[in-house]
Amino acid sequence: MADAASQQLVPDDQAESTALNDLGWVGRDRDAPAVRQLREYLKEHNGIKGLEVLRPDEVERAVRLFYRDGFVVVSDALDARQLDFLRGGCDRVIHEMTSRDRTRVGNRGSHRYSFGGASKTGHLMHHPEWAMLLDLPTVTPILTAIFGSDEYISRGGGGDFCLPGAVEYQPLHSDMGERREIPLPNGNRFTFGSFHDPRGILSYRDLPAPYVCCNFLMVDVHETNGATRQIPGTQHSRQPIPALAEEPEWMKLSAVCPASAGSVMIRDVRAWHGGTPNLSDEVRAIPNAEFYAPWFREPMPPSVPRDIYESLSEHGRRVARYIVADPGQTLETGVRDDLGYVPARHRK
Ligand SMILES: [Fe+2]
């Protein structure tokens, strides 16, 4: 069965020559009354009240907040040079992706995109800008403390971005699930998740943090430019995640902001989260690196080319041990023409 969203993709010859922040608001009016009204409302009400933003040296406190809330924000994870470098990588890939999508159908809803989902390897670790995220002096000690060991595992990384004009909320979701097989539009099947307990007793939600995602903020994130909303303390919840129509207003306003560019949001990916509207004039990108606990595995396709791997620190090479290409193996990398698989909840 062909996917409805991918059928609508039309190449955009203008995208490559368009400035990054001018790529949005396609077919949408930034000054429409409903958009103006929502923008004013978010300015007034959006954001977690009293959000704590930590310094990189507050390792113990970071671990405590991470286990309490299912996420923690740490400022200055990237220095000015690293931030600039990663912004450049995002700029390049965002232009590549939008040049395949003139009407900004997106692969996570209109004007909303997953980097990894659009990549042939499922990840962006073949770009040095993303590989840099495998071992950062500011983040490695926090990850080591969260996992209680430096033997944790990189599964790759990608992240997401929303263009200005992403006026809809992304539904709340978890980035993990019980093990299941998902039929793909091309007839193949995709295995998702690590295990399924046929007794119905143990769920992935009962585990200590198995899978941690580090999202790096490329811009100062505020009330109206598409901050991620996180629902604190939901990482172990077995309750059904509310659909948009049932989601209470306080959850919609539980955006992780304000936080400055160069900060990292370290998430237990099971915690309920979703994108919020980007009604601003700038692209909000949050490239990421994703890690498994030393004792956890899911299928991990290779995504780090050999030359990138050789350039990593000793610790970087160790965490990338399961995703490095074999010697002599050439990975097929680049952006998928169909921008990748679109989850059922985003299909029309
Ligand atoms: Fe997500």
Side-chain angles (χ1 to χ4, degrees):
M1 188 184 76
D3 177 75
S6 63
Q7 285 177 336
Q8 298 166 25
L9 289 187
V10 181
D12 183 353
D13 300 338
Q14 306 295 313
E16 285 289 357
S17 58
T18 302
L20 180 73
N21 288 332
D22 293 334
L23 289 169
W25 294 113
V26 174
R28 298 189 157 190
D29 179 4
R30 70 181 305 291
D31 294 316
V35 171
R36 278 171 178 260
Q37 197 179 6
L38 180 58
R39 190 183 292 118
E40 288 310 311
Y41 175 75
L42 292 178
K43 252 184 217 171
E44 180 104 358
H45 300 288
N46 201 17
I48 294 173
K49 304 290 174 264
L51 175 71
E52 294 169 86
V53 177
L54 277 53
R55 296 186 314 273
D57 61 356
E58 295 181 277
V59 175
E60 275 180 35
R61 194 168 159 226
V63 174
R64 198 166 70 244
L65 296 197
F66 173 86
Y67 278 106
R68 184 189 73 185
D69 296 337
F71 68 95
V72 64
V73 182
V74 178
S75 69
D76 302 295
L78 301 173
D79 64 26
R81 187 193 60 80
Q82 291 166 329
L83 176 58
D84 202 45
F85 184 52
L86 188 51
R87 278 176 170 160
C90 289
D91 189 303
R92 193 174 67 241
V93 178
I94 290 169
H95 276 96
E96 267 186 73
M97 288 171 61
T98 49
S99 70
R100 286 161 171 79
D101 182 16
R102 192 171 71 205
T103 55
R104 310 297 189 250
V105 167
N107 63 7
R108 292 294 182 275
S110 178
H111 288 63
R112 201 179 285 288
Y113 296 83
S114 159
F115 278 120
S119 175
K120 287 177 183 171
T121 61
H123 299 272
L124 272 72
M125 283 296 162
H126 54 286
H127 294 290
E129 294 90 342
W130 269 261
M132 170 181 78
L133 307 177
L134 289 168
D135 181 21
L136 291 166
T138 48
V139 178
T140 293
I142 298 174
L143 287 172
T144 301
I146 284 173
F147 289 126
S149 160
D150 63 2
E151 293 288 322
Y152 57 86
I153 297 157
S154 166
R155 70 180 297 277
D160 67 73
F161 64 95
C162 61
L163 302 174
V167 299
E168 283 119 17
Y169 281 82
Q170 181 189 37
L172 287 175
H173 62 278
S174 159
D175 293 339
M176 289 183 79
E178 309 294 346
R179 187 178 183 91
R180 64 187 195 277
E181 292 210 322
I182 301 170
L184 294 175
N186 63 8
N188 293 338
R189 299 178 76 81
F190 176 65
T191 302
F192 185 83
S194 64
F195 69 90
H196 165 74
D197 181 358
R199 303 168 304 164
I201 297 172
L202 192 68
S203 157
Y204 76 101
R205 291 204 165 267
D206 301 315
L207 305 174
Y211 176 175
V212 173
C213 175
C214 298
N215 282 108
F216 295 84
L217 310 187
M218 294 296 96
V219 294
D220 293 341
V221 173
H222 54 74
E223 294 79 2
T224 60
N225 67 351
T228 306
R229 70 193 187 287
Q230 287 277 153
I231 313 307
T234 49
Q235 61 272 33
H236 295 293
S237 174
R238 289 195 184 211
Q239 295 302 310
I241 302 178
L244 269 184
E246 283 102 46
E247 186 179 340
E249 197 59 19
W250 72 266
M251 289 189 183
K252 284 193 167 170
L253 296 172
S254 188
V256 182
C257 69
S260 56
S263 299
V264 63
M265 180 169 58
I266 303 175
R267 303 186 289 117
D268 179 329
V269 305
R270 298 171 300 181
W272 305 357
H273 65 280
T276 64
N278 184 352
L279 309 181
S280 73
D281 291 310
E282 62 184 352
V283 174
R284 188 283 287 144
I286 47 171
N288 75 19
E290 304 175 7
F291 302 94
Y292 288 143
W295 44 266
F296 189 80
R297 301 285 186 289
E298 286 190 20
M300 282 176 276
S303 60
V304 181
R306 211 69 207 178
D307 58 331
I308 296 268
Y309 176 80
E310 302 296 347
S311 74
L312 298 174
S313 66
E314 191 184 338
H315 178 70
R317 289 196 300 273
R318 191 161 69 233
V319 299
R321 63 196 179 277
Y322 290 109
I323 55 170
V324 60
D326 290 332
Q329 181 186 13
T330 304
L331 299 180
E332 193 191 341
T333 59
V335 173
R336 302 162 68 102
D337 285 333
D338 66 357
L339 296 181
Y341 173 67
V342 181
R345 66 176 180 276
H346 295 308
R347 288 189 214 148
K348 290 265 184 328

